[in-house]
Amino acid sequence: MALIVGTALELPPLGAGSTTPTLGVRSSRAKRSMRLGVDTGGTFTDCVAIVGGIVRVAKVFSTPGDPGRGILEGMQALSRAGGRIRTGPLEIIHGTTVGTNTLLERSGARVALVTSAGFEDLIEIGRQNRPKLYDLCGRRDPPLVPRALRWGIAERTVAGGRILKRPELGAVRRLARAIERARAESLAICFLFSFANPENERRVARVLGRLRLPISVSSEILPEFREYERLSTVVVNAYLAPRLGSYFEGLRKWFEMPARPRDGAGGLSKGLRGSVPYGTRRGKLFVMQSSGGITAAGRAAREPVRTILSGPAGGVVAARKLGELVGVEKAISFDMGGTSTDVCLLPAATTRETLVAGVPVAVPVLDIHTVGAGGGSVARMDAGGALRVGPESAGASPGPACYGRGGTRPTTTDAHLILGRLDPDFFLGGQFRLDRKAAEQTFAYFMTHSRDSGSGARFKDSFELARGIIKVSNATMERALRVISVERGHDPRDFSLICFGGAGGLHAADLARGLGLRGVIVPRQPGAFSALGILCSDIIRDVSESLLVRVPERPAAQFAAFFSALVRRFERLEARARRELAADCFHAASAISERRLEIRYVGQSYELSVPFTPNFERRFQAEHERAHGYFHVGRATEIVNLRARLAIPVAQPSMRRTGSKPVKRVPPPKPLRVKPVWFESGVLPTPFFERDSLPAGVKLNGPAVVVEYSATTVVPPDFTCHVDRYLNLRLEAAFER
């Protein structure tokens, strides 16, 4: 699959308006570098480059066994169609699902856990809350570290940071020999109250470092109170470190080598040696974090827990920027790819209470809700005879049956093809033809097998089965949208849906109708929108410190001294973050800091985050009332955490528009073809339009289908579609709600 020249963007001069080069890298060549955004998904790997003010997009099938190979094949596709795009250094910003998949598949490292004596089973005991309160037969997944690989060591630090007992070096050396005999592949160290004084952890880490294994130390990964969440997070980091470390290191060697690819670069050069022109240039690899910011590949390799949701984060960043651009204050991002659907209420907040594959992770993560519904989601009949779709996906290999790559089970993509919503001639710009016959044969076999096995539902034909698959998929995604809106006290009728992902446009209007949303916005190149968001993300470094201190009551002089002490603590925290940015070769002096406090009433076990300002107590009272419906007048408060986020802005592309005046209405162009398509109201003759032929001001009355390289957008009969001045598709209901 090759590329198509997509959205016209204007890239400002690197560092325009500031001294910040492209990615804040301290280099005399940074201003001449070209950026490439890469989003590796379950089905496709998307590569986006901005060249001469034009977005170039390449989609290739992902390679789950060797994810880096998909990236290199995407670069090959860009090179074949565009030639040598630019000489000079190349900056690759990578969003990946390798960490997420490793947790889901439980295919990470063999981790040895070293903790305070007597607390070896904390990772298994966890918290008392149960995910299914009334399930008497509920089962928990086993912990990432089995009992045989957990060791306790005699040491103790008290809550205030004073060390009562230091670990004996002899005991630590004996422990090292035991870990070596156990054939551990990675180490996690987590002691009680190490966030208050990390000396004991560091002492043990120095001795165990002789094993030459990746070591994750809790006081470095997450220096915060709540021992179970800190322990779980550092174990996840150790569980991912060998696999993601070798993955990022292999990519880094490939991209940062000065000459031709060398052998041993993580296996990435196999079959590609000398074929990628970028291999002859000096490059730099960066990685997207789950928090919505970029970090250096080396730090991502050491702290892979911060990248577990890096792929979906790129789409949220892009959706937030698009919402600001078009003046939509309330929006929901909707990213439907080949494997899953990710939804997020904008403007996106970060959370530190995340479960990934059932495992708690307490590092900053964008508040994204994910369900297993994508274009490749597989249909099946459950034990009760009901039709189910997902969460299992056909992925990139074999993929949906209509891809002609060996798929033998019906998927959502196959259903759209059978219903006429996808045209086999226009998929991926006509460069990859879908096989309708293979989809129909797969559906026929599924129906025959269902009847023979007596598994319940009877379908008259493939058409009826396809309709059922679409309805079930829509129900799954509608529930996800309700979780982040209705269940959090928001009226979905106040929100617009910013829709992207390769399959999003096929379902967006149906979901908008079901929830009463104000409308749908489909950006240019929606199938590569997440990669574009990754390309435009700022460099972020999050740091924190647990404090656990009571806020003094007035008089003013006492509070002023307390506030000044907090300022000094923040300054030390920011200085640490700037040192870490500088160690990663970023331009730390240009970083902008955001300070926040986590505060609660004395006696509470949960806290709220507010900006650090002189009136932070008043802000806390207002936030408490908003979140819980009440606040306490005169009740004492305490601060539990200080948080600082340092951001280095990168040069942002500015999307061209048709002008400052309202666009004039223009008649629609001649459709590519007219063919029957299924909608809720029946099968209707429907015109297909090529998106590149739709200028600003065009209005289409449904039914209609808009095709482009990376996605297809369906406009039902009860919707209209108009093209705004930024060439976004704006879908709205054709009647008043």
Side-chain angles (χ1 to χ4, degrees), residues 221-292:
I221 301 298
L222 190 70
E224 298 179 16
F225 82 119
R226 291 199 173 99
E227 66 275 15
Y228 172 61
E229 286 74 17
R230 179 162 50 92
L231 174 61
S232 178
T233 301
V234 76
V235 165
V236 169
N237 196 79
Y239 190 72
L240 300 177
R243 182 173 181 180
L244 267 75
S246 61
Y247 172 62
F248 289 138
E249 182 63 16
L251 287 177
R252 190 190 64 80
K253 286 181 179 179
W254 177 277
F255 292 125
E256 297 184 11
M257 63 182 62
R260 289 192 311 171
R262 302 172 185 169
D263 291 333
L268 298 174
S269 60
K270 184 179 180 182
L272 293 171
R273 194 177 322 179
S275 63
V276 181
Y278 304 105
T280 62
R281 69 184 70 197
R282 192 75 177 171
K284 186 76 174 175
L285 178 66
F286 304 89
V287 179
M288 187 71 174
Q289 302 178 92
S290 307
S291 61

Side-chain angles (χ1 to χ4, degrees), residues 387-405:
L387 177 65
R388 303 289 185 184
V389 181
E392 185 183 2
S393 172
S397 180
C402 61
Y403 285 3
R405 295 161 60 91

